[in-house]
Amino acid sequence: MIPAAFDYKVAESAEQAIALLGEYGDEAKLLAGGHSLIPMMKFRLAAPAVLIDIARISDLSYIREADGHLAIGAMTKHIEVETSDVVAQHAPMLAHVAALVGDPAVRHRGTLGGTLAHSDPASDLPAAVLALGGTIIAHGPNGAREIAANEFFTGYFESVLAADEIITEVQIPTGTGAWNYQKFNRRAQDWSIVGVGVADGGKGISLVNMGSTPIRATAAEEALASGASAADAAALAAQGTTPPEDSNADAAYRTHLATVLTRRALEAAGVA
Amino acid sequence: MDVSMNVNGQSQSHDVEPRTLLVHHIRENVGLTGTNIGCDTSSCGACTVHLNGQSVKSCTVLAVQASDSDITTIEGLAATAQADGSAIGEQNWHPMQEAFQQCHALQCGYCTPGMVMAATSFLQENPNPTEDEVRQGLEGNLCRCTGYHNIVKAVMSAAGGA
Ligand SMILES: Cc1cc2nc3c(=O)[nH]c(=O)nc-3n(C[C@H](O)[C@H](O)[C@H](O)COP(=O)(O)OP(=O)(O)OC[C@H]3O[C@@H](n4cnc5c(N)ncnc54)[C@H](O)[C@@H]3O)c2cc1C
Ligand code: FES
Ligand code: FES
């Protein structure tokens, strides 16, 4: 399978990428690791007329400890998040989840900015960033803005990102409490049928593949905050969700999985 | 557009359409057909090559993305191999190729180039793996003959573990 023809442009900086997005408008798409976009183009589910390659912007590939958070450049690859000592020390949940993405070859290409921008409800890292209370920094023609992960995802493969904006950085609070991540799938290398992320001792609980976006299990979080047991809180994990149905699972099974996996994650994190 | 890259130590320049996949570029323009195409959907790993030393699935990389990069294919692994794929060494196989031979880690051989490239990249990142880590490290490579047992044995043996 070969993608439809397109023009290929290389952006050397975020500013240049924004300028190119301005020039080509809706015709253009940014290309980071390409491990979501190229498969879609091969299936002709996407056929942008112009690809703007941002993977060569080395300024956007970094992992830094800042004041109370980790700052990770959008072009940082999954493998770098997975193997970084700084991430292991300050946001170990993110390193752990990065290592669960696809297989090593996928992790050698895919980027943190790319997986967030792609906003696939079945993806692991967006859910981890959501549970951890991360912040997404986007740059556009009018400068930078900060978007809380809570407010970032708006629908199936959709986010608040404007067509002329580029994610430049992802910030993850450091020093947060106990965590666990449960990825439930049946074959090596697959996406989660359902996944559950528990961050900061249960203050952040996120669900993978339980709706059109990665979502917080708000009812379970609130129950825990008001003193419910892990088991009682987990029973509420699927409240308000609209799980998808596919060949792997129907909605009832996903609902069941969400409650079981949330209980397992809370118990493994040591949340009583 | 003009795309230059270093393939198995040889500089290669070709005029390619931007939509050309790296695997097609390697097979059809560079002319090295050791890299196979299996699923064409980034699932099977038959097309695995090294891009700047790391395993990638070349069916999911555009040739233009690899311009100005170093590519190693299965033909470039053995010390005696020629970059054009001729005279693939009878001696001086790469230790991983040697281990695949010794451990009977191939049946039809279709997955083998990708397996070997994935396995060598994996051992660079994890030189002393456990058997379980080898299985995890090769999870992106499928063997339709299902000869996983001996493949894992070969990788352990190349790592000096068994
Ligand atoms: C075989 C396979 C298995 C996988 N398994 C998993 C899995 O188990 N779990 C999982 O979570 N993911 C999985 N993935 C997806 C993988 O994590 C992708 O790398 C990731 O979703 C996209 O990142 P990318 O850098 O490749 O983005 P690209 O494919 O380059 O881009 C994706 C989208 O985001 C946009 N974009 C990219 N970067 C930016 C930016 N900085 N600013 C604004 N927009 C941007 C692009 O325009 C495009 O629309 C898998 C992929 C493959 C091929
Ligand atoms: S052909 Fe590339 S992964 Fe199967
Ligand atoms: S040896 Fe036949 S596919 Fe692996």
Side-chain angles (χ1 to χ4, degrees):
Chain A
M1 294 173 299
I2 297 169
F6 54 85
D7 275 345
Y8 174 78
K9 308 278 175 199
V10 173
E12 309 279 355
S13 64
E15 293 70 33
Q16 203 185 345
I18 295 161
L20 286 164
L21 283 173
E23 190 176 337
Y24 294 103
D26 286 349
E27 306 264 87
K29 274 227 159 265
L30 299 176
L31 175 68
H35 268 49
S36 293
L37 186 53
I38 293 172
M40 288 182 76
M41 290 173 66
K42 289 174 70 178
F43 281 119
R44 306 277 173 124
L45 295 170
V50 180
L51 277 191
I52 303 166
D53 191 347
I54 54 175
R56 293 172 193 264
I57 309 177
S58 48
D59 284 359
L60 290 185
S61 178
Y62 56 82
I63 298 172
R64 285 198 283 264
E65 198 198 339
D67 195 19
H69 67 261
L70 269 188
I72 305 179
M75 288 305 106
T76 307
K77 297 192 167 100
H78 303 330
I79 185 82
E80 291 156 350
V81 173
E82 173 186 348
T83 56
S84 155
D85 292 339
V86 181
V87 180
Q89 191 185 341
H90 295 287
M93 178 179 178
L94 198 71
H96 175 81
V97 174
L100 298 178
V101 173
D103 59 62
V106 171
R107 303 199 288 275
H108 289 150
R109 298 295 296 164
T111 66
L112 186 57
T115 189
L116 287 165
H118 194 57
S119 300
D120 182 346
S123 281
D124 299 295
L125 283 164
V129 172
L130 186 61
L132 284 161
T135 304
I136 292 145
I137 315 291
H139 274 78
N142 304 318
R145 62 174 176 138
E146 294 186 5
I147 309 157
N150 245 340
E151 287 155 15
F152 185 76
F153 307 104
T154 52
Y156 202 56
F157 296 124
E158 278 175 5
S159 69
V160 297
L161 218 57
D164 55 0
E165 279 183 314
I166 169 173
I167 298 177
T168 50
E169 186 175 283
V170 181
Q171 298 180 349
I172 306 290
T174 53
T176 55
W179 59 274
N180 187 261
Y181 189 82
Q182 299 281 325
K183 176 170 180 167
F184 188 88
N185 60 11
R186 291 168 52 208
R187 296 180 312 186
Q189 178 195 242
D190 268 356
W191 267 261
S192 303
I193 295 174
V194 171
V196 174
V198 163
D200 205 5
K203 292 201 194 82
I205 304 175
S206 65
L207 305 175
V208 177
N209 227 350
M210 284 296 290
S212 59
T213 66
I215 38 171
R216 295 276 285 257
T218 323
E221 288 174 0
E222 283 167 1
L224 271 184
S226 39
S229 69
D232 288 346
L236 305 173
Q239 224 176 64
T241 63
T242 48
E245 312 227 347
D246 55 32
S247 54
N248 282 315
D250 61 14
Y253 181 51
R254 282 203 160 86
T255 301
H256 174 70
L257 275 179
T259 58
V260 172
L261 296 173
T262 302
R263 179 175 51 73
R264 284 186 195 162
L266 287 170
E267 286 171 357
V271 180
Chain B
M1 57 188 285
D2 185 53
V3 170
S4 301
M5 61 184 78
N6 189 306
V7 182
N8 300 334
Q10 252 191 13
S11 161
Q12 294 276 351
S13 288
H14 297 269
D15 186 26
V16 302
E17 254 194 290
R19 61 174 167 166
T20 308
L21 300 169
L22 179 60
V23 69
H24 292 142
H25 181 64
I26 290 170
R27 289 177 57 87
E28 290 157 27
N29 298 335
V30 180
L32 296 175
T33 53
T35 304
N36 287 336
I37 302 176
C39 64
D40 199 14
T41 55
S42 41
S43 305
C44 75
C47 64
T48 307
V49 301
H50 294 180
L51 196 166
N52 294 332
Q54 291 181 323
S55 60
V56 301
K57 291 174 171 177
S58 61
C59 71
T60 311
V61 177
L62 301 167
V64 286
Q65 288 179 291
S67 80
D68 302 323
S69 304
D70 290 332
I71 300 290
T72 307
T73 69
I74 188 71
E75 291 93 339
L77 214 53
T80 53
Q82 303 296 310
D84 65 2
S86 67
I88 292 176
E90 307 239 319
Q91 299 111 32
N92 294 331
W93 291 104
H94 185 280
M96 188 66 72
Q97 292 171 312
E98 187 80 44
F100 267 61
Q101 281 184 358
Q102 294 302 322
C103 299
H104 301 286
L106 54 149
Q107 294 173 61
C108 78
Y110 200 84
C111 69
T112 310
M115 280 289 178
V116 169
M117 297 314 283
T120 46
S121 171
F122 168 73
L123 280 195
Q124 273 163 32
E125 286 168 7
N126 186 351
N128 294 301
T130 62
E131 196 181 306
D132 186 56
E133 286 167 347
V134 171
R135 288 179 190 276
Q136 298 291 333
L138 295 181
E139 72 176 308
N141 291 71
L142 304 182
C143 174
R144 243 1 188 169
C145 302
T146 67
Y148 296 107
H149 184 77
N150 284 357
I151 292 170
V152 173
K153 238 166 79 178
V155 180
M156 289 302 285
S157 135

